[in-house]
């Protein structure tokens, strides 16, 4: 694995928008001259079933489309069943962000990984005013914690993938995700 490689995993259930977040990350990395790849896995119950998106970002060519379990640096999860299914792909000492209203890490999990609890869906629903923006809140949290891609390039890519009429609400979602990520990281110091 190259020094510039970032491996992230977003998990949820079908319909939560984790796939869009992965697509935006990969597209933004390509847009800035790097390599970006998202690989999605759906279970048989597409809507409502566990989903996972692995995101690889690198300055060098990516030769294998899947993230190897045990090498993932960062995971974000908004569904307990997906969390339980896919958490072991995160390397020991890696970072996991969970929505505490939906995901319940064990004490052993807290010893294995650095776990942050951020109410992603509540932020989208109550503070942004649109639950659909949860993928943008998640995107901002991941990028802020991983410093994976230039912030403006990521925002520009995100805005290119959503209708113009929702640009302002998505910018607000990004700002709130970034704010909550910074607060969570400061609380662990």
């Amino acid at each position: 694995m190259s020094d510039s490689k970032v491996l992230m995993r977003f998990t949820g259930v079908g319909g939560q928008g984790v796939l869009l977040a992965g697509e935006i990350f990969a597209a933004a990395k390509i847009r800035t001259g790097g390599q970006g790849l998202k690989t999605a896995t759906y279970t048989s119950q597409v809507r409502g079933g566990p989903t996972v998106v692995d995101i690889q970002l690198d300055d060098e060519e990516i030769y294998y489309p899947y993230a190897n379990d045990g090498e993932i640096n960062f995971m974000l999860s908004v569904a307990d069943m997906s969390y339980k299914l896919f958490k072991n792909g995160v390397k020991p000492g890696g970072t996991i962000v969970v929505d505490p209203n939906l995901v319940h890490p064990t004490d052993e999990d807290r010893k294995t990984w650095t776990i942050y609890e951020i109410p992603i869906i509540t932020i989208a629903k109550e503070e942004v005013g649109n639950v659909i923006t949860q993928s943008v809140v998640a995107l901002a949290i991941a990028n802020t914690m991983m410093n994976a891609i230039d912030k403006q390039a990521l925002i520009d890519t995100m805005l290119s993938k959503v209708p113009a009429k929702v640009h302002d609400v998505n910018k607000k979602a990004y700002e709130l995700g970034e704010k909550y990520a910074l607060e969570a990281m400061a609380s662990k110091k």
Side-chain angles (χ1 to χ4, degrees), residues 11-27:
T11 72
V13 295
Q16 282 186 314
V18 295
L19 303 179
L20 177 61
E23 183 180 316
I24 292 167
F25 259 119

Side-chain angles (χ1 to χ4, degrees), residues 7-182:
L7 292 172
M8 293 186 283
R9 173 172 281 175
F10 284 22
T11 72
V13 295
Q16 282 186 314
V18 295
L19 303 179
L20 177 61
E23 183 180 316
I24 292 167
F25 259 119
K29 185 66 176 179
I30 291 166
R31 199 177 202 179
T32 60
Q35 302 289 313
L37 185 65
K38 75 142 174 115
T39 308
T41 304
Y42 308 85
T43 58
S44 59
Q45 329 155 296
V46 177
R47 192 170 256 320
T51 57
V52 61
V53 177
D54 287 342
I55 304 150
Q56 296 185 63
L57 308 172
D58 204 338
D59 293 333
E60 299 171 22
E61 194 163 345
I62 298 169
Y63 293 104
Y64 184 67
Y66 296 95
N68 293 317
D69 276 356
E71 291 184 359
I72 295 164
N73 312 95
F74 175 92
M75 183 173 97
L76 184 142
S77 188
V78 290
D80 204 49
M81 71 173 118
S82 296
Y83 170 78
K84 288 175 182 166
L85 271 174
F86 301 114
K87 68 183 178 182
N88 289 323
V90 180
K91 68 182 180 183
T95 300
I96 298 178
V97 174
V98 299
D99 186 316
N101 300 314
L102 303 167
V103 180
H104 313 289
T106 65
D107 289 340
E108 191 59 38
D109 292 348
R110 293 177 193 285
K111 292 175 191 167
T112 305
W113 302 289
T114 301
I115 297 180
Y116 295 96
E117 296 184 357
I118 301 175
I120 297 161
I121 294 176
T122 302
I123 294 165
K125 196 185 310 183
E126 296 177 10
E127 292 189 49
V128 179
N130 186 334
V131 73
I132 293 170
T133 63
Q134 66 183 306
S135 60
V136 177
V137 173
L139 186 78
I141 290 167
N143 199 48
T144 302
M145 290 189 167
M146 294 302 297
N147 196 22
I149 295 179
D150 173 74
K151 173 184 168 181
Q152 195 56 53
L154 191 60
I155 291 170
D156 291 345
T157 302
M158 177 267 296
L159 293 175
S160 76
K161 299 206 174 278
V162 298
K165 67 182 180 182
V166 293
H167 279 194
D168 287 343
V169 74
N170 279 286
K171 286 180 193 173
K172 181 178 180 182
Y174 192 96
E175 288 167 12
L176 284 166
E178 181 179 51
K179 171 183 162 264
Y180 276 91
L182 291 170

